[in-house]
Amino acid sequence: MKVIQFIGTKDKADFTLFFAHVLSEIGKKVLIIDGTEREVYKYGYIENTSDLMADIGNVEVVVGAHNIETVNAELRANSLSIQSYDCVIIDVDSVEGLIAKWPNIDGRYYLSCDERYCINKDTKLLHHLLDITDNADINRLHFESTYNLKSEYVDHLIQNRANWSFTSYNVEFDDLAEQLKLQLQHEQIIPLKKLSKSTKAVIKRMIADLFEDAGPELDKVIKPPFRLFNSKNQTNNKEYYPVKEIIH
């Protein structure tokens, strides 16, 4: 079982559901734990807000989760066990969620954006994370906007304490993203085919890093990147991914 944590104040539920849905499409059983202070999944994505557990796109979601004990209690009530999942994704947006008792984390991603509110809140969150861990290497997923904010801005606010890992990526701005998010919220369906190539490529790379055996099945769900052509009859060996890796 792989346990990963998505941290940050940005509403990342839509990306998390797309990510989890791709995992389910390659045969992985996935659980999302809504550890957000704002209870984003409960009020934004689940049809009946009185439910503590729901299925969205073949992905099971537990809401109102303050720690692993509350999650296990809800799973037992549904005759389930956390050990039955191939991947558990914990979404947190606060210091309280970060320090709550969770299973051992295999990977942690900071999902960032250019909104000033999120940047200021995340500064406190990142400082706390770096205070409680000996490892300053952090995976970062940055969602670009139409505003040209310098990439060093967050580094300056956290006093350059973080080392963004080599599995960190920028997700290019997508005009359709807001529409897909609202469709997901109101229809409880996951419109994967309409997702941008950039976002799909990031998801594919992240899953390939998590599950080494996922390659063949991933290629069936997300088509392999196209190759660059030198001429009509020749191709070079470099595969083109519409992903911009964060410069270190």
Side-chain angles (χ1 to χ4, degrees):
M1 179 179 72
K2 298 285 187 179
V3 180
I4 60 174
Q5 192 174 57
F6 288 167
I7 69 170
T9 314
K10 168 185 165 56
D11 177 2
K12 46 204 178 296
D14 55 334
F15 176 83
T16 305
L17 284 163
F18 277 117
F19 178 82
H21 177 70
V22 173
L23 279 170
S24 73
E25 288 290 289
I26 65 170
K28 305 297 183 185
K29 189 174 181 182
V30 188
L31 176 69
I32 295 175
I33 298 174
D34 180 9
T36 62
E37 191 173 56
R38 296 187 296 154
E39 297 185 292
V40 176
Y41 297 79
K42 179 177 181 177
Y43 294 106
Y45 294 85
I46 292 177
E47 189 171 8
N48 187 349
T49 57
S50 64
D51 291 340
L52 295 178
M53 190 167 183
D55 183 292
I56 303 175
N58 294 323
V59 174
E60 289 167 347
V61 182
V62 172
V63 301
H66 306 295
N67 50 51
I68 191 58
E69 282 85 0
T70 57
V71 174
N72 284 333
E74 183 58 29
L75 291 175
R76 284 194 298 270
N78 287 274
S79 302
L80 296 167
S81 167
I82 199 164
Q83 282 76 29
S84 65
Y85 295 93
D86 298 301
C87 186
V88 175
I89 306 168
I90 307 167
D91 186 344
V92 299
D93 61 358
S94 66
V95 169
E96 291 74 21
L98 185 67
I99 64 175
K101 185 178 179 182
W102 302 114
N104 291 333
I105 306 295
D106 294 300
R108 182 180 280 119
Y109 284 85
Y110 166 47
L111 276 65
S112 62
C113 65
D114 291 337
E115 289 188 32
R116 186 175 177 84
Y117 171 85
C118 294
I119 292 170
N120 285 327
K121 295 281 282 187
D122 289 349
T123 300
K124 178 182 177 183
L125 191 64
L126 288 169
H127 271 304
H128 197 91
L129 172 62
L130 292 162
D131 285 341
I132 63 175
T133 180
D134 295 328
N135 187 0
D137 293 333
I138 302 175
N139 301 310
R140 183 179 179 185
L141 211 61
H142 182 71
F143 290 79
E144 295 180 342
S145 67
T146 54
Y147 183 75
N148 187 24
L149 185 70
K150 290 184 178 180
S151 59
E152 299 87 2
Y153 184 54
V154 170
D155 293 316
H156 172 72
L157 291 177
I158 62 172
Q159 301 167 352
N160 295 300
R161 295 182 66 193
N163 298 322
W164 307 122
S165 76
F166 286 97
T167 50
S168 296
Y169 309 103
N170 284 349
V171 180
E172 295 174 0
F173 177 75
D174 178 18
D175 287 324
L176 201 59
E178 190 65 21
Q179 179 183 325
L180 298 183
K181 179 178 180 177
L182 293 174
Q183 183 179 0
L184 207 165
Q185 289 179 349
H186 291 282
E187 299 178 25
Q188 283 80 46
I189 61 170
I190 299 181
L192 181 64
K193 289 183 179 180
K194 296 180 182 179
L195 200 62
S196 71
K197 289 181 179 179
S198 171
T199 309
K200 285 180 182 177
V202 168
I203 289 173
K204 189 173 183 178
R205 296 270 292 265
M206 289 172 65
I207 292 175
D209 288 337
L210 275 173
F211 297 96
E212 294 181 359
D213 62 342
E217 292 302 317
L218 266 175
D219 286 343
K220 295 176 184 177
V221 180
I222 299 176
K223 292 182 180 180
F226 56 84
R227 294 183 180 273
L228 295 176
F229 286 82
N230 294 326
S231 67
K232 281 189 176 181
N233 299 318
Q234 292 182 329
T235 65
N236 62 22
N237 292 323
K238 181 179 179 182
E239 291 183 330
Y240 173 72
Y241 290 85
V243 176
K244 294 190 295 181
E245 296 190 29
I246 293 175
I247 298 174
H248 298 76

